[in-house]
Amino acid sequence: MAVFAGPRERTSAGRPQEQRIAQLSFIEPPIGANIQAVQDIYGRPGAPAANMRHSAVWACQDLIASMMSMLQPWAFKTPPAGVATPNPGQGGTGQPTVPGVKVSQQPQILNEPAAGMDIGDWLYAGTLSLLRGNVYGSMVALTQMGFPEQIELQDPGKVSVRQLANGMPEYKFRGQLQDSTRPPVWHRSIFRGPGQLTGASVMEFARRSIQLGLNAEQFANGFFEEGAHPSSILTNESTAQMSQPEASKIKQKFMAAVHGSREPALLTGGWKYQAIQVNPTDSQFLGTLSQSDLMVCRFHRVPPELVAVAVTGSSITYANVEQRGLDFLTYCMQRWITWWERKLGALLPPGQYVKFDLSPLLRTDILTRWVVNYAQATSRIMARSEIRAGEDLPPLTPEQQAEVDAMPQMDLLQPLKPPKLAT
């Protein structure tokens, strides 16, 4: 006869019920208070709120959205003879002889696009929505020319879209039908296939990888909190079949003798105590968590080291911080930057387009920056006033200019050799 000891058995009886609740939690509307409580705490399986509980998902999406919120969009105007291109370069027009000109008065949509949100907060929230495939907003204010001046973003989880028989989309925000006689809805999507009205979510593509990590995390928590087995076994081969009340009474006496005491237990009458030990490495949940994190980074195109995900056997190195930032900008952020430039540019009058200031993503160390400034000045690519403006320095005063003129010219000095950077 064996009697299980330990607190783990108190939860084992309830575990099948918890699994049944999880299986029923997708039913709409929720059935019963228990199902509602589970959904309120953990979210529906596969829902964005539940997926964001995965640490790698949160880290990747927060990194992408935070980087977008740091970039300031600027409106440029194309000369009458110029042709606006999708990616004309930083402040350029696509024509090497015609430089881009910043709009003297920047539009409100690029500075305060929503009530209580500046452009940084708005881009952060919009990028998080875009990672779910769609960005929805209400155009609550227009300029005199009819272009959007204020767009209030909507929670994509509370927006429903369907295509009518005439091919036009029908939108409902929080269950309320939007007026179709005028275009109050601003809807843009990404990862949209042919014939599809809405875009796809990155988390939908990575759903199995995310669920794998969440399941491994849940197993790890259960292993350390509850365990997948009884902590110990009490056996007595010389005792005949024992009723459940008798077994419970013996277990309670044993628990009372050893609970809160470090003294050894004395067992008589043929009783034997056996502690169960399981090697945690046999479960492989740490390796599963690491693999899930790596797959999530792959779906988001985020370098794993930027979100503290270890990659075994990797030999990728960067010569300096600038190269690392350029790699992240090229292979991860450029897709989102170009998307926002096109969509925000479509909100401006004809002849204007949007370019982001990418300097926050390309900041270098001070030594490298001054070497570049020196090379640009001596090669006469940039004027000294432009270099000072790039360093946030005011123009030289007449007294300072006189001191500078008294110094030897930089192009007459021995050229400065860039320092060797450690590899």
Side-chain angles (χ1 to χ4, degrees):
M1 178 65 187
V3 179
F4 296 106
R8 295 171 174 84
E9 71 172 35
R10 293 195 296 268
T11 59
S12 61
R15 186 169 302 162
Q17 182 180 1
E18 294 176 358
Q19 293 176 355
R20 289 194 297 269
I21 291 176
Q23 293 173 358
L24 293 175
S25 61
F26 68 93
I27 298 178
E28 293 277 353
I31 301 177
N34 292 335
I35 296 179
Q36 182 65 55
V38 171
Q39 293 185 0
D40 291 342
I41 297 175
Y42 299 104
R44 296 178 179 85
N51 291 339
M52 291 296 282
R53 297 174 63 88
H54 193 292
S55 61
V57 174
W58 165 257
C60 290
Q61 298 200 5
D62 177 67
L63 177 64
I64 294 174
S66 297
M67 292 298 101
M68 283 303 313
S69 68
M70 292 169 54
L71 305 180
Q72 174 64 41
W74 294 100
F76 288 83
K77 57 182 179 180
T78 305
V83 178
T85 58
N87 190 20
Q90 187 67 17
T93 61
Q95 299 181 11
T97 59
V98 182
V101 179
K102 272 186 182 180
V103 176
S104 58
Q105 294 183 350
Q106 293 292 312
Q108 179 179 330
I109 196 68
L110 300 183
N111 291 277
E112 296 287 340
M117 291 181 113
D118 60 11
I119 187 62
D121 298 332
W122 194 85
L123 284 174
Y124 183 92
T127 304
L128 285 182
S129 297
L130 188 61
L131 286 163
R132 301 186 187 184
N134 300 275
V135 181
Y136 301 98
S138 299
M139 296 187 291
V140 298
L142 303 177
T143 63
Q144 294 181 354
M145 300 177 60
F147 294 97
E149 190 175 34
Q150 181 179 349
I151 299 179
E152 299 293 337
L153 297 178
Q154 302 293 325
D155 184 357
K158 298 180 181 180
V159 176
S160 61
V161 187
R162 73 184 185 98
Q163 195 168 18
L164 302 177
N166 58 3
M168 298 298 294
E170 180 186 78
Y171 297 93
K172 287 185 178 181
F173 292 172
R174 300 178 180 270
Q176 302 219 350
L177 181 65
Q178 300 301 299
D179 189 2
S180 60
T181 60
R182 57 187 182 90
V185 177
W186 186 70
H187 173 208
R188 299 295 181 268
S189 59
I190 198 170
F191 307 128
R192 185 173 63 178
Q196 296 179 352
L197 188 60
T198 58
S201 170
V202 176
M203 291 185 287
E204 181 65 24
F205 294 136
R207 180 172 58 178
R208 297 190 64 178
S209 300
I210 296 173
Q211 195 61 40
L212 174 65
L214 293 176
N215 290 339
E217 184 178 346
Q218 182 180 4
F219 172 79
N221 290 335
F223 184 90
F224 289 108
E225 294 178 359
E226 302 173 3
H229 50 76
S231 59
S232 57
I233 298 178
L234 277 175
T235 59
N236 193 329
E237 297 179 356
S238 62
T239 302
Q241 183 70 25
M242 187 180 300
S243 64
Q244 185 62 36
E246 293 176 338
S248 300
K249 184 176 181 181
I250 293 175
K251 185 188 73 171
Q252 291 175 0
K253 289 183 177 181
F254 181 81
M255 291 291 296
V258 300
H259 182 69
S261 174
R262 300 180 63 88
E263 298 293 332
L266 179 61
L267 302 178
T268 60
W271 287 99
K272 295 181 180 180
Y273 173 81
Q274 179 183 1
I276 299 178
Q277 299 291 337
V278 176
N279 186 358
T281 58
D282 293 341
S283 62
Q284 297 295 322
F285 60 81
L286 293 179
T288 303
L289 287 171
S290 178
Q291 183 64 21
S292 174
D293 292 345
L294 186 60
M295 289 188 292
V296 168
C297 291
R298 184 180 299 123
F299 275 103
H300 288 85
R301 294 187 181 181
V302 171
E305 65 274 5
L306 293 183
V307 289
V309 174
V311 182
T312 58
S314 176
S315 60
I316 299 178
T317 58
Y318 299 95
N320 51 36
V321 177
E322 182 182 13
Q323 292 184 8
R324 181 178 182 179
L326 184 61
D327 181 77
F328 174 62
L329 171 64
T330 303
Y331 297 107
C332 178
M333 291 303 302
Q334 191 59 55
R335 169 173 59 180
W336 308 101
I337 293 172
T338 303
W339 189 94
W340 276 113
E341 285 178 343
R342 292 174 176 173
K343 306 313 176 187
L344 292 177
L347 301 177
L348 304 182
Q352 295 184 10
Y353 59 92
V354 171
K355 293 299 296 181
F356 279 94
D357 180 12
L358 305 182
S359 57
L361 291 179
L362 297 177
R363 289 177 179 172
T364 61
D365 58 274
I366 186 170
L367 179 59
T368 303
R369 190 169 71 250
W370 281 99
V371 169
V372 172
N373 291 342
Y374 181 85
Q376 290 175 334
T378 54
S379 61
R380 302 182 185 277
I381 294 179
M382 293 185 65
R384 297 178 183 178
S385 59
E386 294 178 304
I387 296 177
R388 291 184 62 86
E391 294 294 332
D392 295 328
L393 296 174
L396 294 174
T397 63
E399 293 79 10
Q400 292 174 329
Q401 185 64 50
E403 292 181 14
V404 172
D405 293 340
M407 299 177 184
Q409 297 183 9
M410 289 188 296
D411 53 358
L412 298 180
L413 298 176
Q414 190 69 19
L416 178 65
K417 295 182 179 180
K420 293 184 178 180
L421 302 175
T423 59

